[in-house]
Structure formats: C-alpha cells, structure tokens
Amino acid sequence: MVARSNEAKILGVKMGQPWHHLNDLVRQQGIIGLSSNYALYADISNRFVSILGDFSPVLEVYSVDECFLCVDGLQAHWSNWEAMGQAIRRRLVTDVGLPVCVGFAPTKTLAKLANHVAKKQPALHGVCDFTSMSASAFTQLAAGLDVGDVWGIGGRLGEQLRDAGIATIQALRDAPHDWLRTRFGVVLSRLWHELHGVPCIEIEEAPAPKKQIISSRSFGTPVLLFDDLASAVSTYVTRAAEKLRAQASTCETLQVFVMTNAFRPQDPQYSNAVTVPLPNPSNDTRLLVKAALFGLRRIYRERYRYKKAGVVLNGISDAATQRQRSIFPLVGTGERSDNLMSVLDSLNQAFGRDTVCLGAVGSKQTWRMRTERKSPCFTTRWAEIPVVHAR
C-alpha cells in the first residue's frame, strides 16, 4: 500500500502494508484497491502543473503532486491570498477532478507547513495563509506542531532534536541559532531562518539535474530464472538511461541489486548488490545494459524467489563536460552513440515506449507488476475514455 485515502487511514490501513494482509478488512469495509497506473499519474500531474502556471509565471515543480508558486507582485489581482487559494482549488477540481490544499507564507519551509496545516484542519477549507496570521496566533499554532512536521526534518533528525529538548516547531524557533548551527549544521540553520520568515531556499524554475537515478520495481510474480531477471534489469536500465539523456548527463558507475520477499519468511532470503564502474562516463543504453548484466551475473544465485531488482546510476555529470575532457575515442560516447540514442528516444517518444529497444529487454516479461486492479487510462487512451449514455 503506497497511497491511502483519508477513509482508509481512519480504518487503520498503514502505509506500506501488504494488500494480502488486509483481506478481512477489505471484505468488512468494502475497501477498493487499485494497481499503479503511471501513465495516468503522469498525465494528471502535467495537467496539474499546466493549470498552476495560469496563476503564476514562476513556479517550481517539486514532485508529481506538489508545486511552489511565486506570488510576489500578484496581490492586486486578488482580494486576499485565501481567495487565490480557493480559486486554485476550484479550478483543479473542475478541470482535473483533483482535490488539493494550498498554503501561503513568506518562505518555502513555511509554505510547506501552511499546506500541512490546511490538510489537517478542516475548518480552513483547504487554504492556510500564514501571511495574514498574527504573531501570537502563529506561536500558539507552532507550539502544538511536532518538530517532525517541518519540511526537511526526517525521522532521525527529529529524534535528535527531541533528545535535545526541542519537540515542537515553536521550540525550534525559540532555540538559539548559533547553538543549532554548531550542533546540527547549516541545513538546520537555513530551516531556522526560514521558520522566522527569512527566505534561504530559492524557487528553482528549472529542476536541477539529478545526482543519482534509480529505476526499480517489484515483480508481479516471483522470479527464479536468470533470463527473467536479466530482462527486468535491462528494462530498468533502459528507463534510467532515458532519464540520464533527458537531462544531458552521463554516469560513471552503475549499481545493480536483487532481493527476495521479506514478507515471506517461509522462503529462503537473499539480497545483494554490486557496483560496476564503467570504462568511461556514458549514457549509452547498450553500455549500461552490458555493465548491469555483468554485475547481475555476479550476484545471481539459483533457487531463490526474487521479488525485486533495480539499478542505480551514480557519478552523474554533464555530458558536454565529459566530452570536453576526452581527447580519445571512448566506449559508448561520441557522435555515433549520440545519434543512435537520439533516434532511439525519438522513435519511442513518437510511437510509444519500447517501440524500439535492446534484445536483452525481451518480449514476454512475465515478471512485470500485476495490474489486474489498474484503474482505466481515462486521459491517455481513447479506448478507455468514459462513455456517458443519455436518454
């Protein structure tokens, strides 16, 4: 279980809980479970971002369903920020059917917190505006919020702060800045300033190139044979290489990993990973697949029921810089490699994913995730558009 509705949360469904553990609760409460539909999610996300672009010319896409908008200079267009927030919510529900919450604040950290508060307090009707909140009201609110609710404070740092006597957001705001910086470093220093309304984290209109790319999925059925694992790993490498080329980067190393199902203690358990250095930085799918299969052969063990595999690309840097450093022909680089990969990507973008792929990817792919519960592709396939009959 990777996503839950509010109703499912109330019924006690936990994040990450295996679906088969919920059989009794599903029957009793009529819970509906759906398989992942990444094409649908991507399309809805693109529509989400496009609509938000109508409200501000400057925005940062933070995740598939989160954006930061810069609203400086837009005050004259709205009676107040709550009115703008409600207009955003109405537009997204009307055009996309997507319920959202909106937070307004002078910094990104406070805006994330305002969004969190909007979700947790129904009386706010989905919009929380810290800019119109009095200092005393914000202090009272922050005193009742766990320090772990601050964007950027994970479980481990949260525990360290609580051990130091800082359990709430207000306690963090009240803590001496110099002491915080000395004990916890520059990241917490920035958060302290952001919680006091001083911007330290800028809006990033263009996403920064990723320093690590991971491609991995759980298998729909247990995999025992090397050839099936090789097909899956080759597919994951193909996806990762596409992302690498999309940001005009190369990688220096590739890690491949495999694991069995920890939720089946009756099965023999095994997991392993190996990092394979490339002969030179590259984004050529052919070289990356070759390296991944080289590593897979070294960690594969027979008679295990593998549940998951994946690849991790590391040592990522700008492709043009790497070419400038080299005066000799290298493996998986150069004009011929670039042209071939460009044609490959263009064909797959025009005619559908894996229209053209390496033979190592295979055609049967019995390992793929089960999708018998997948929701229809309402917005991406003509055959699955809902049909309404009127009489």
Side-chain angles (χ1 to χ4, degrees):
M1 189 68 63
V2 296
R4 303 157 297 161
S5 66
N6 289 330
E7 294 80 1
K9 294 176 185 177
I10 293 172
L11 291 173
V13 178
K14 298 180 176 59
M15 181 65 76
Q17 189 172 7
W19 178 253
H20 66 270
H21 288 183
L22 300 170
N23 288 339
D24 292 340
L25 189 62
V26 167
R27 285 193 297 268
Q28 294 168 6
Q29 302 294 336
I31 297 175
I32 298 173
L34 299 173
S35 303
S36 300
N37 187 333
Y38 299 108
L40 176 63
Y41 304 158
D43 184 65
I44 294 297
S45 178
N46 291 336
R47 296 179 187 221
F48 165 76
V49 173
S50 177
I51 289 173
L52 291 180
D54 291 340
F55 288 89
S56 172
V58 180
L59 74 163
E60 173 189 338
V61 181
Y62 178 64
S63 70
V64 68
D65 62 351
E66 289 183 282
C67 277
F68 289 105
L69 275 67
C70 179
V71 295
D72 290 344
L74 302 179
Q75 294 92 330
H77 299 280
W78 305 96
S79 57
N80 52 55
W81 292 131
E82 183 178 359
M84 181 183 186
Q86 293 298 347
I88 292 173
R89 297 183 74 239
R90 287 193 299 271
R91 177 80 181 279
L92 286 169
V93 167
T94 301
D95 290 9
V96 189
L98 194 65
V100 300
C101 290
V102 184
F104 290 90
T107 70
K108 289 173 73 174
T109 300
L110 284 173
K112 282 279 289 185
L113 184 62
N115 183 275
H116 171 77
V117 173
K119 291 177 182 177
K120 298 298 182 180
Q121 297 190 11
L124 294 175
H125 304 293
V127 177
C128 178
D129 177 16
F130 282 168
T131 67
S132 64
M133 187 178 291
S134 67
S136 58
F138 181 80
T139 298
Q140 183 178 3
L141 173 69
L145 295 173
D146 186 86
V147 69
D149 291 334
V150 175
W151 178 45
I153 295 182
R156 184 176 179 181
L157 179 56
E159 286 300 320
Q160 292 174 346
L161 287 168
R162 293 183 196 94
D163 291 342
I166 301 174
T168 68
I169 293 176
Q170 187 56 39
L172 179 59
R173 295 178 77 244
D174 290 339
H177 169 261
D178 292 344
W179 174 80
L180 277 175
R181 182 185 174 95
T182 300
R183 180 160 179 179
F184 296 101
V186 67
V187 172
L188 205 59
S189 170
R190 292 196 192 101
L191 290 180
W192 186 91
H193 283 295
E194 288 250 328
L195 288 173
H196 283 83
V198 180
C200 295
I201 307 173
E202 299 296 328
I203 293 280
E204 298 179 4
E205 294 185 66
K210 295 180 180 179
K211 298 300 183 182
Q212 183 183 74
I213 294 177
I214 302 174
S215 182
S216 174
R217 290 282 187 275
S218 295
F219 303 138
T221 58
V223 172
L224 286 86
L225 300 179
F226 176 84
D227 286 348
D228 290 334
L229 270 181
S231 171
V233 167
S234 298
T235 300
Y236 302 150
V237 172
T238 300
R239 298 286 88 80
E242 290 169 350
K243 295 177 182 179
L244 192 64
R245 292 191 293 273
Q247 65 176 40
S249 298
T250 60
C251 69
E252 296 180 356
T253 65
L254 180 148
Q255 183 189 75
V256 57
F257 64 87
V258 294
M259 62 181 65
T260 53
N261 190 349
F263 292 105
R264 287 183 58 86
Q266 67 271 32
D267 292 345
Q269 297 296 312
Y270 172 72
S271 63
N272 206 346
V274 63
T275 297
V276 181
L278 302 181
N280 49 257
S282 176
N283 58 24
D284 191 309
T285 301
R286 298 170 299 172
L287 176 60
L288 298 182
V289 166
K290 184 177 181 179
L293 296 184
F294 174 87
L296 181 62
R297 290 187 186 94
R298 276 143 186 78
I299 62 174
Y300 172 73
R301 300 292 182 270
E302 294 182 351
R303 296 186 295 277
Y304 285 103
R305 296 164 58 88
Y306 294 99
K307 177 61 177 177
K308 188 175 184 179
V311 296
V312 184
L313 306 186
N314 286 308
I316 294 176
S317 58
D318 180 67
T321 302
Q322 290 295 338
R323 281 195 290 270
Q324 292 170 2
R325 292 177 183 173
S326 173
I327 60 174
F328 301 105
L330 301 176
V331 181
T333 65
E335 184 177 358
R336 187 172 181 179
S337 171
D338 291 346
N339 289 342
L340 179 59
M341 293 299 107
S342 177
V343 170
L344 186 72
D345 292 338
S346 297
L347 288 172
N348 287 327
Q349 290 169 7
F351 299 104
R353 175 174 283 180
D354 292 334
T355 298
V356 181
C357 61
L358 299 189
V361 169
S363 57
K364 293 183 179 179
Q365 299 187 343
T366 56
W367 46 267
R368 282 195 176 276
M369 292 177 63
R370 289 178 293 187
T371 57
E372 63 269 20
R373 296 178 179 270
K374 188 176 75 172
S375 54
C377 297
F378 292 121
T379 65
T380 58
R381 291 187 180 179
W382 288 104
E384 297 183 22
I385 293 178
V387 177
V388 178
H389 298 276
R391 296 183 179 178

